[in-house]
Amino acid sequence: MTSDYDSLRPPEPPGRRKRKGGKGRRRNFFGQGDGGREMSMVPDVEFEKVDADGHAGYYGHNVVKPPPWDDKVATYLFLGGVAGGSGVLAAGAQLTGRKVLRRNARISGLAAAGLGGVALIADLGRPDRFYNMLRTFKVTSPMSVGSWILSGFSGGIGVAAAAEVDRLLRERLPLGPLRSVLRVAEAPAGLVGGAFGPLLAVYTAALLGDTATPTWNAMHRDLPFVFVSSASLAASGLALVATPLDEVGPARTLAVLGVVGDVAATRVMESRMDPVAAEPLHHGTPGTLMRWAERLAVAGGVGALLSDRSRIASAVSGIALLAASACTRFGVFHAGIESAKDPRYTIEPQKRRLAARRAAGVTDDSITTAD
């Protein structure tokens, strides 16, 4: 009797002979040994190359299945940061009376959230899959919570941005009696967008860290701080590009704080990760992206600090900050994808954690007693 799982069984040891006529030495339940001593159920692990990139496999298979995501998800990670940071910046501009910065940040937040939603739905394949996630609210599911966060942010920033567009077009939108309702709802809606902004910027870090993908899981404690700082870079960078110098002061301050937070949080995150799980952040495409993220962030931060008299320098600094945020999000995304392709990134950190538990005297649980 066979099944589809038989193809995953390890090969039988050489020299194994079947019993004939019910005679011969008694074997144990698994057909190995003489029943008088324990035998290993699984032969020693051997990693074999399974693809053109040289990624090893466990009996020809990955230990952790790589998530079926592509750059559409990475784009959503980046645009979510732009949207969330812009929502916070717009709320601050609203409270301090900076009308141009408020308008630009509101419209930027809505545009980024809309494009990010398109990228997310494109990855899901059908719009109804996104709608179905809104049928329930499951606090233990980052995807479920994130769907509601995206909806709440989009609703708040959408109303506020609609009021800005109506003013920009000199009230030419065919709103009729709804215009007065829009004017009343504008300020509370803008604050709602500001409240949901940090959640939108950071929930994707929890989404990645909640997976079994080795590098993402290893950074789950510190990745939220990296993503919040990255969102600050993106939102302030976009504001530096689009807003005149006389109102861009808060964005410039946010940019400098974001650079400090981004560089520090990334360094701390890498230092607290298992060194093997952190390797994909330093090699190949992810390594290149992460190195450029730091360079662009520092350059953009210095430029933002010194460009208070030049609109062109301010815009160039903003572009550098946007690029730095994109490199961070894409670098983290691709590092996780790469880590799932090689079982070394799963098995070696597990062995170190097991050895640490045993060294600490933890020897009576299901983890340390299992062989």
Side-chain angles (χ1 to χ4, degrees):
M1 183 174 180
T2 62
S3 71
D4 293 337
Y5 295 101
D6 289 337
S7 62
L8 305 181
R9 297 181 186 273
E12 293 185 357
R16 177 177 173 181
R17 294 175 296 179
K18 297 182 179 179
R19 296 176 61 186
K20 297 181 180 180
K23 298 180 180 180
R25 177 174 289 183
R26 181 172 60 89
R27 297 180 181 270
N28 67 358
F29 181 80
F30 296 102
Q32 299 183 39
D34 58 2
R37 57 187 176 90
E38 291 186 5
M39 299 292 293
S40 174
M41 295 170 56
V42 180
D44 292 338
V45 177
E46 293 184 2
F47 296 149
E48 301 173 354
K49 292 185 177 181
V50 296
D51 59 23
D53 296 327
H55 294 120
Y58 178 72
Y59 295 121
H61 298 271
N62 295 322
V63 174
V64 176
K65 183 178 180 181
W69 298 338
D70 56 21
D71 281 347
K72 292 189 289 293
V73 173
T75 301
Y76 173 70
L77 299 180
F78 168 63
L79 291 174
V82 175
S86 295
V88 174
L89 198 56
Q94 174 183 328
L95 295 175
T96 56
R98 291 176 168 82
K99 296 182 180 180
V100 178
L101 178 60
R102 181 195 66 194
R103 180 196 67 200
N104 292 346
R106 284 176 173 177
I107 295 176
S108 298
L110 179 62
L115 292 174
V118 171
L120 178 60
I121 292 173
D123 178 75
L124 292 173
R126 298 197 308 268
D128 59 304
R129 290 178 176 171
F130 177 78
Y131 305 147
N132 288 335
M133 288 190 290
L134 299 176
R135 296 173 62 184
T136 60
F137 180 79
K138 189 176 181 181
V139 71
T140 57
S141 169
M143 181 66 77
S144 174
V145 174
S147 300
W148 283 97
I149 290 174
L150 177 59
S151 300
F153 174 85
S154 299
I157 204 71
V159 171
E164 297 288 0
V165 171
D166 187 49
R167 274 193 295 272
L168 195 61
L169 297 178
R170 299 181 180 179
E171 299 187 350
R172 293 175 183 173
L173 293 178
L175 298 177
L178 292 178
R179 180 168 285 109
S180 58
V181 177
L182 184 63
R183 291 288 180 265
V184 173
E186 175 186 358
L191 296 179
V192 168
F196 275 98
L199 301 177
L200 180 62
V202 78
Y203 97 87
T204 48
L207 177 64
L208 298 182
D210 195 49
T211 67
T213 303
T215 295
W216 291 343
N217 187 266
M219 59 176 64
H220 73 277
R221 294 174 298 179
D222 303 298
L223 187 59
F225 300 100
V226 175
F227 271 21
V228 165
S229 301
S230 172
S232 301
L233 298 185
S236 58
L238 190 55
L240 288 171
V241 172
T243 307
L245 295 176
D246 57 346
E247 286 201 11
V248 81
R252 184 176 292 110
T253 301
L254 182 63
V256 174
L257 294 176
V259 169
V260 174
D262 183 72
V263 174
T266 302
R267 293 290 183 89
V268 171
M269 179 184 73
E270 293 178 1
S271 69
R272 281 158 54 93
M273 293 173 63
D274 183 279
V276 173
E279 282 184 9
L281 291 170
H282 303 284
H283 302 295
T285 298
T288 301
L289 289 170
M290 296 301 292
R291 286 190 292 273
W292 273 104
E294 182 171 323
R295 295 167 186 167
L296 290 168
V298 172
V302 173
L305 190 62
L306 302 178
S307 63
D308 56 335
R309 296 184 180 181
S310 171
R311 180 70 186 275
I312 295 177
S314 180
V316 172
S317 300
I319 293 172
L321 293 171
L322 276 167
S325 179
C327 286
T328 296
R329 303 278 176 144
F330 275 77
V332 167
F333 175 79
H334 284 289
I337 298 295
E338 289 301 312
S339 72
K341 296 177 180 179
D342 193 330
R344 174 171 174 263
Y345 297 123
T346 300
I347 294 174
E348 290 192 15
Q350 285 180 343
K351 287 182 176 180
R352 262 192 287 275
R353 289 194 296 269
L354 176 60
R357 289 174 68 86
R358 286 175 171 166
V362 182
T363 59
D364 58 349
D365 61 5
S366 60
I367 298 175
T368 54
T369 57
D371 290 322

